[in-house]
Amino acid sequence: MQGGSSGIVYGGLKYQARCIADIRADAGSTTFLAGTLSLKEENEVHLIRFSPAESELVCDGLFYHPNEIWDLKSCPFDHRVFSTVYTSGEGYGASVWKIPELNGQSNSPQLEQLFELSGHTGKIRRVIWWPLGKHDKLISIDDRNIFLWNIDTSKKIAKVISQGSTDMLPNLRGGAWDPHNHNLVAAISDSSLQLWDLRSMEKSTAIEHAHIRDVDYNPKKQNIVATAEEEFGIRLWDLRMLKYPLKDLPGHSHWTWAVRHNPAYDELLLSAGTDSTVNLWLAKVSSDDPESDSPSALSNRQEVPLLNSYTDYEDSIYGIAWSSHDPSLFASLSYDGRVVLESVKPYLQRK
């Protein structure tokens, strides 16, 4: 199916961009943060709110950011706090920021830097917050190491409490924190998905020989993750049975770059790619299927409904985010700075 131009477009981003994040801690409205990636201009972070009365996306705040933003995550327990990974001189840096009190002003040039996540010797790739509410830990990942931080945003303190290092040169790219177990993290590399136990800071198991670009945990079903892979498109896995995936989805006509489970409707899955398309999938899986580790069972589950393809874009799409406030909505961000809000309500009855 092909989607039309029914989405609501936000036209405020002036520069190229890759990062958009839902503000989970804002219980009162659907809001997002988006960060730009300009090499020459002063970069910006936009606070974007959906106004149902006007059916438009409005800018509630525009803040200057000193460097190109390569990763952006919103704090799940404080709607004014977020993290970025950015270029810093010849390398990369990561910091946690706080949005100032706006007092009716939409433009504020000064973000408050709460603390920098310093100490990385490799290229910082991601900062990860535990997704379910208040937690005093934070994770940062560079190409060789996983750092676990003890943080206090009110006191502006961050301290490394443990570190895990990979063997050889796997080139870590990012990861996701298990919402069902705050001791487990799935990290992705150029050639594998690695499961790490934060108590021992050791890799427990892995899916080898897979070039994975993104990973996301199912928020409602334990042990289920989705991966965006260069060769196979999208795969759904039961982390207790890694010999074969639970399900294969065809992905995109070019690279599949991002994948996200819906926060409320766990069988709905979004994917985005460099083919300028966002796909909505109905991805039913059962982690209790006794035949789930057999090749024959895999072949029987490869045909899964593609509910819709959203094609109202002219550039690669690197960022997608469901709304926590209204899980029937999602925002996407294409590289040319185009933010589009879409509704999946017409497809919820098919769940």
Side-chain angles (χ1 to χ4, degrees), residues 154-169:
S154 62
K155 296 181 179 179
K156 307 178 186 180
I157 295 173
K159 181 180 180 181
V160 176
I161 55 177
S162 58
Q163 175 185 350
S165 299
T166 59
D167 48 3
M168 303 299 289
L169 288 172

mmCIF file of all heavy atoms in Angstrom, residues 154-169:
data_model
loop_
_atom_site.group_PDB
_atom_site.id
_atom_site.type_symbol
_atom_site.label_atom_id
_atom_site.label_comp_id
_atom_site.label_asym_id
_atom_site.label_seq_id
_atom_site.Cartn_x
_atom_site.Cartn_y
_atom_site.Cartn_z
ATOM 1 N N SER A 154 19.902 16.698 38.905
ATOM 2 C CA SER A 154 19.655 17.859 39.760
ATOM 3 C C SER A 154 20.958 18.439 40.299
ATOM 4 O O SER A 154 21.089 19.651 40.463
ATOM 5 C CB SER A 154 18.726 17.488 40.912
ATOM 6 O OG SER A 154 19.315 16.491 41.739
ATOM 7 N N LYS A 155 21.952 17.563 40.554
ATOM 8 C CA LYS A 155 23.247 18.025 41.050
ATOM 9 C C LYS A 155 24.282 18.185 39.937
ATOM 10 O O LYS A 155 25.429 18.551 40.205
ATOM 11 C CB LYS A 155 23.773 17.055 42.104
ATOM 12 C CG LYS A 155 22.912 16.978 43.358
ATOM 13 C CD LYS A 155 23.515 16.008 44.381
ATOM 14 C CE LYS A 155 22.657 15.951 45.640
ATOM 15 N NZ LYS A 155 23.204 14.987 46.639
ATOM 16 N N LYS A 156 23.865 17.871 38.726
ATOM 17 C CA LYS A 156 24.732 18.005 37.543
ATOM 18 C C LYS A 156 25.993 17.151 37.690
ATOM 19 O O LYS A 156 27.113 17.603 37.436
ATOM 20 C CB LYS A 156 25.111 19.470 37.301
ATOM 21 C CG LYS A 156 23.925 20.408 37.223
ATOM 22 C CD LYS A 156 24.361 21.844 37.027
ATOM 23 C CE LYS A 156 23.183 22.805 37.086
ATOM 24 N NZ LYS A 156 23.599 24.209 36.906
ATOM 25 N N ILE A 157 25.796 15.888 38.070
ATOM 26 C CA ILE A 157 26.917 14.980 38.325
ATOM 27 C C ILE A 157 26.762 13.732 37.468
ATOM 28 O O ILE A 157 25.668 13.172 37.352
ATOM 29 C CB ILE A 157 26.979 14.584 39.816
ATOM 30 C CG1 ILE A 157 27.277 15.799 40.693
ATOM 31 C CG2 ILE A 157 28.023 13.494 40.046
ATOM 32 C CD1 ILE A 157 27.192 15.502 42.175
ATOM 33 N N ALA A 158 27.859 13.290 36.858
ATOM 34 C CA ALA A 158 27.913 12.018 36.151
ATOM 35 C C ALA A 158 29.255 11.351 36.451
ATOM 36 O O ALA A 158 30.309 11.981 36.333
ATOM 37 C CB ALA A 158 27.758 12.222 34.644
ATOM 38 N N LYS A 159 29.213 10.081 36.849
ATOM 39 C CA LYS A 159 30.427 9.360 37.218
ATOM 40 C C LYS A 159 30.383 7.959 36.637
ATOM 41 O O LYS A 159 29.385 7.248 36.764
ATOM 42 C CB LYS A 159 30.559 9.296 38.739
ATOM 43 C CG LYS A 159 31.810 8.582 39.229
ATOM 44 C CD LYS A 159 31.872 8.553 40.749
ATOM 45 C CE LYS A 159 33.133 7.834 41.235
ATOM 46 N NZ LYS A 159 33.196 7.773 42.719
ATOM 47 N N VAL A 160 31.470 7.552 36.000
ATOM 48 C CA VAL A 160 31.562 6.197 35.459
ATOM 49 C C VAL A 160 31.677 5.208 36.616
ATOM 50 O O VAL A 160 32.535 5.357 37.489
ATOM 51 C CB VAL A 160 32.780 6.051 34.524
ATOM 52 C CG1 VAL A 160 32.914 4.611 34.050
ATOM 53 C CG2 VAL A 160 32.650 6.983 33.323
ATOM 54 N N ILE A 161 30.801 4.203 36.628
ATOM 55 C CA ILE A 161 30.870 3.191 37.684
ATOM 56 C C ILE A 161 31.358 1.845 37.165
ATOM 57 O O ILE A 161 31.832 1.017 37.937
ATOM 58 C CB ILE A 161 29.516 3.026 38.402
ATOM 59 C CG1 ILE A 161 28.398 2.713 37.400
ATOM 60 C CG2 ILE A 161 29.176 4.267 39.196
ATOM 61 C CD1 ILE A 161 27.054 2.462 38.075
ATOM 62 N N SER A 162 31.256 1.611 35.850
ATOM 63 C CA SER A 162 31.820 0.390 35.275
ATOM 64 C C SER A 162 31.972 0.565 33.772
ATOM 65 O O SER A 162 31.351 1.433 33.160
ATOM 66 C CB SER A 162 30.957 -0.836 35.587
ATOM 67 O OG SER A 162 29.647 -0.657 35.113
ATOM 68 N N GLN A 163 32.816 -0.292 33.209
ATOM 69 C CA GLN A 163 33.129 -0.214 31.784
ATOM 70 C C GLN A 163 33.372 -1.601 31.248
ATOM 71 O O GLN A 163 34.038 -2.420 31.888
ATOM 72 C CB GLN A 163 34.368 0.661 31.564
ATOM 73 C CG GLN A 163 34.858 0.725 30.131
ATOM 74 C CD GLN A 163 36.155 1.510 29.992
ATOM 75 O OE1 GLN A 163 36.589 2.171 30.944
ATOM 76 N NE2 GLN A 163 36.778 1.444 28.824
ATOM 77 N N GLY A 164 32.830 -1.872 30.079
ATOM 78 C CA GLY A 164 33.079 -3.132 29.396
ATOM 79 C C GLY A 164 33.699 -2.869 28.048
ATOM 80 O O GLY A 164 33.303 -1.937 27.337
ATOM 81 N N SER A 165 34.703 -3.678 27.683
ATOM 82 C CA SER A 165 35.404 -3.499 26.417
ATOM 83 C C SER A 165 35.246 -4.733 25.549
ATOM 84 O O SER A 165 35.278 -5.866 26.051
ATOM 85 C CB SER A 165 36.897 -3.225 26.663
ATOM 86 O OG SER A 165 37.071 -2.048 27.420
ATOM 87 N N THR A 166 35.084 -4.497 24.263
ATOM 88 C CA THR A 166 34.925 -5.608 23.337
ATOM 89 C C THR A 166 36.282 -6.148 22.925
ATOM 90 O O THR A 166 37.294 -5.448 22.970
ATOM 91 C CB THR A 166 34.170 -5.153 22.079
ATOM 92 O OG1 THR A 166 34.910 -4.086 21.467
ATOM 93 C CG2 THR A 166 32.780 -4.659 22.434
ATOM 94 N N ASP A 167 36.299 -7.414 22.518
ATOM 95 C CA ASP A 167 37.532 -8.014 22.024
ATOM 96 C C ASP A 167 37.689 -7.696 20.529
ATOM 97 O O ASP A 167 36.732 -7.449 19.813
ATOM 98 C CB ASP A 167 37.526 -9.523 22.250
ATOM 99 C CG ASP A 167 36.240 -10.169 21.784
ATOM 100 O OD1 ASP A 167 35.379 -9.454 21.241
ATOM 101 O OD2 ASP A 167 36.090 -11.382 21.974
ATOM 102 N N MET A 168 38.906 -7.697 20.070
ATOM 103 C CA MET A 168 39.212 -7.410 18.670
ATOM 104 C C MET A 168 38.672 -6.028 18.283
ATOM 105 O O MET A 168 38.724 -5.090 19.058
ATOM 106 C CB MET A 168 38.658 -8.503 17.752
ATOM 107 C CG MET A 168 39.172 -9.907 18.093
ATOM 108 S SD MET A 168 40.969 -10.062 17.946
ATOM 109 C CE MET A 168 41.150 -9.974 16.171
ATOM 110 N N LEU A 169 38.119 -5.913 17.094
ATOM 111 C CA LEU A 169 37.637 -4.622 16.602
ATOM 112 C C LEU A 169 36.231 -4.762 16.021
ATOM 113 O O LEU A 169 36.040 -4.733 14.798
ATOM 114 C CB LEU A 169 38.584 -4.060 15.527
ATOM 115 C CG LEU A 169 39.931 -3.546 16.020
ATOM 116 C CD1 LEU A 169 40.827 -3.216 14.833
ATOM 117 C CD2 LEU A 169 39.761 -2.313 16.893
#
